Amino acid sequence: MKSLPIISLSELEKASPQEIKKLYDVCYEHGFFYLKEHGVSSEIINRTIEASRNFFELPEDVKLNYRQDIQKVYPKTCRGYVPLYGEFLNKEIGFDPKQVFDLGIERPLSEEPFTGPTVIPDDSVAPGFASSHYQLQKEIMTKVTPKLLKGLALALGLEANFFDRYFTEPTLIQRTIYYPAGMGKAGKHTDNGIFTVLIQEYFPQPSLRVHTKEEWIDAPCVEDAFVINLGDLLQMWTKGLFVSTPHEVFHSNSDATRISIPFFVYPNIDTIIEPFGTTEKISSKEVMLKNFVSIWETHEGAGRAKELV
């Protein structure tokens, strides 16, 4: 495979047998695909990209007012601003040359991890940053996530609403990433959740690279399409039938910075996954916490990064 397949979300919503079969094949073989006809307006996407770039171009001392250690949610590393060389995804690269801001679904502060409000700049500091991100979040979590979960359930031969009970209050890590011109990188890793919805700022030169079963391939931007990749939790849930795929980013364009906006989608924080065909029980919460320790504390990397050095 030299390019990622394209799946239509509108066809999945109609439960098109052809599209469901196509989705099964790509999730079984590669775990990465483009998603078109998703119903999210380009206007809100472009506004969020612009507001993100404006935030990252603020003075460092301003951005540090929203850093991880002043966040309220546990773990603090799941929210807020991370400066250049702050995150560790893989030992091959070490600390990534990129800046990050993480947020989530706004809920009251809770003893549960990954649950609560984000300390985020208001319009007096970063005009449109919070409002555009939360508007885009609503679009992704209402127009994309439920339909994609339905498609995945049908592809697995399950009832269309199989995943609904596990996503009544889903957990979300929403991120905006700033890759500096000519040097932005994210080390080899797998994502940890059910799936990731990635919005890439359009550039003709690809930055994202994906490891298919045969080789590393480029995943160039496709206009009006998101990139979807499956995560470790779904691979665990399906007992390896659907695969979480290693990927990395090299932004080599020396003339422009780049913004990427991934949505890492997880089930309800108290979900207990029972891998198909087994009596095993896996805590989604514990999988998430273990991954955050590996990235931010022990620096072993993200997802299955240790397998990818």
Side-chain angles (χ1 to χ4, degrees):
M1 184 183 75
K2 296 295 183 183
S3 62
L4 299 180
I6 297 175
I7 298 289
S8 163
L9 189 59
S10 65
E11 289 299 306
L12 286 184
E13 188 180 13
K14 296 172 191 172
S16 156
Q18 285 182 312
E19 210 68 13
I20 297 297
K21 174 63 165 61
K22 189 175 176 184
L23 180 64
Y24 174 89
D25 289 344
V26 69
C27 290
Y28 176 78
E29 288 290 336
H30 308 296
F32 248 97
F33 55 92
Y34 295 110
L35 190 71
K36 298 202 76 171
E37 298 173 352
H38 46 67
V40 179
S41 77
S42 58
E43 189 270 336
I44 180 56
I45 292 170
N46 292 335
R47 271 200 291 120
T48 309
I49 289 171
E50 180 182 10
S52 295
R53 176 169 281 109
N54 290 341
F55 167 77
F56 286 118
E57 291 177 352
L58 289 171
E60 191 69 13
D61 62 338
V62 174
K63 292 180 288 188
L64 286 172
N65 290 326
Y66 308 94
R67 64 192 183 273
Q68 289 179 334
D69 63 9
I70 59 96
Q71 297 294 324
K72 300 174 182 177
V73 176
Y74 170 76
K76 290 178 180 288
T77 49
C78 75
R79 301 288 175 90
Y81 172 66
V82 180
L84 205 63
Y85 300 108
E87 184 179 50
F88 192 105
L89 295 183
N90 188 287
K91 290 183 178 179
E92 186 177 63
I93 287 179
F95 291 92
D96 290 343
K98 66 177 192 276
Q99 297 178 48
V100 166
F101 194 99
D102 287 325
L103 57 151
I105 296 173
E106 288 292 287
R107 295 188 175 119
L109 192 60
S110 167
E111 291 183 357
E112 291 284 15
F114 308 100
T115 307
T118 303
V119 180
I120 189 170
D122 62 21
D123 282 353
S124 68
V125 175
F129 182 71
S131 60
S132 62
H133 270 285
Y134 287 124
Q135 185 179 349
L136 182 57
Q137 177 188 108
K138 183 179 178 182
E139 295 273 298
I140 296 296
M141 297 307 287
T142 59
K143 294 183 176 179
V144 178
T145 296
K147 297 173 187 176
L148 189 50
L149 286 168
K150 174 186 174 184
L152 289 167
L154 292 172
L156 288 163
L158 305 168
E159 293 293 326
N161 64 354
F162 173 82
F163 288 110
D164 290 1
R165 66 190 133 156
Y166 304 104
F167 284 84
T168 54
E169 291 190 334
T171 309
L172 178 70
I173 307 294
Q174 178 179 342
R175 166 170 283 198
T176 182
I177 308 170
Y178 178 89
Y179 292 108
M183 60 175 279
K185 293 180 183 178
K188 295 172 186 165
H189 65 286
T190 59
D191 290 349
N192 185 238
I194 298 297
F195 57 75
T196 302
V197 180
L198 173 65
I199 298 172
Q200 298 188 89
E201 183 176 18
Y202 185 82
F203 277 86
Q205 183 179 6
S207 297
L208 177 64
R209 299 180 71 235
V210 175
H211 190 263
T212 67
K213 288 186 175 178
E214 299 87 22
E215 60 188 331
W216 285 91
I217 66 167
D218 288 327
C221 292
V222 172
E223 288 196 77
D224 300 320
F226 299 151
V227 176
I228 306 293
N229 63 282
L230 307 185
D232 297 338
L233 269 178
L234 190 60
Q235 179 167 304
M236 293 176 197
W237 209 331
T238 63
K239 203 62 181 172
L241 182 67
F242 284 179
V243 295
S244 75
T245 306
H247 50 286
E248 62 185 351
V249 175
F250 287 95
H251 178 58
S252 57
N253 186 319
S254 58
D255 298 321
T257 60
R258 183 175 197 159
I259 300 292
S260 288
I261 306 174
F263 294 77
F264 304 101
V265 178
Y266 294 81
N268 301 348
I269 196 63
D270 60 356
T271 295
I272 301 297
I273 290 169
E274 298 184 24
F276 298 161
T278 77
T279 57
E280 187 181 0
K281 296 185 186 299
I282 298 173
S283 163
S284 175
K285 181 195 312 184
E286 293 305 316
V287 170
M288 289 186 74
L289 287 170
K290 183 178 178 182
N291 189 54
F292 270 71
V293 167
S294 182
I295 295 168
W296 299 103
E297 296 180 28
T298 62
H299 299 143
E300 296 174 273
R304 293 182 287 108
K306 286 183 283 188
E307 304 170 21
L308 308 174
V309 177

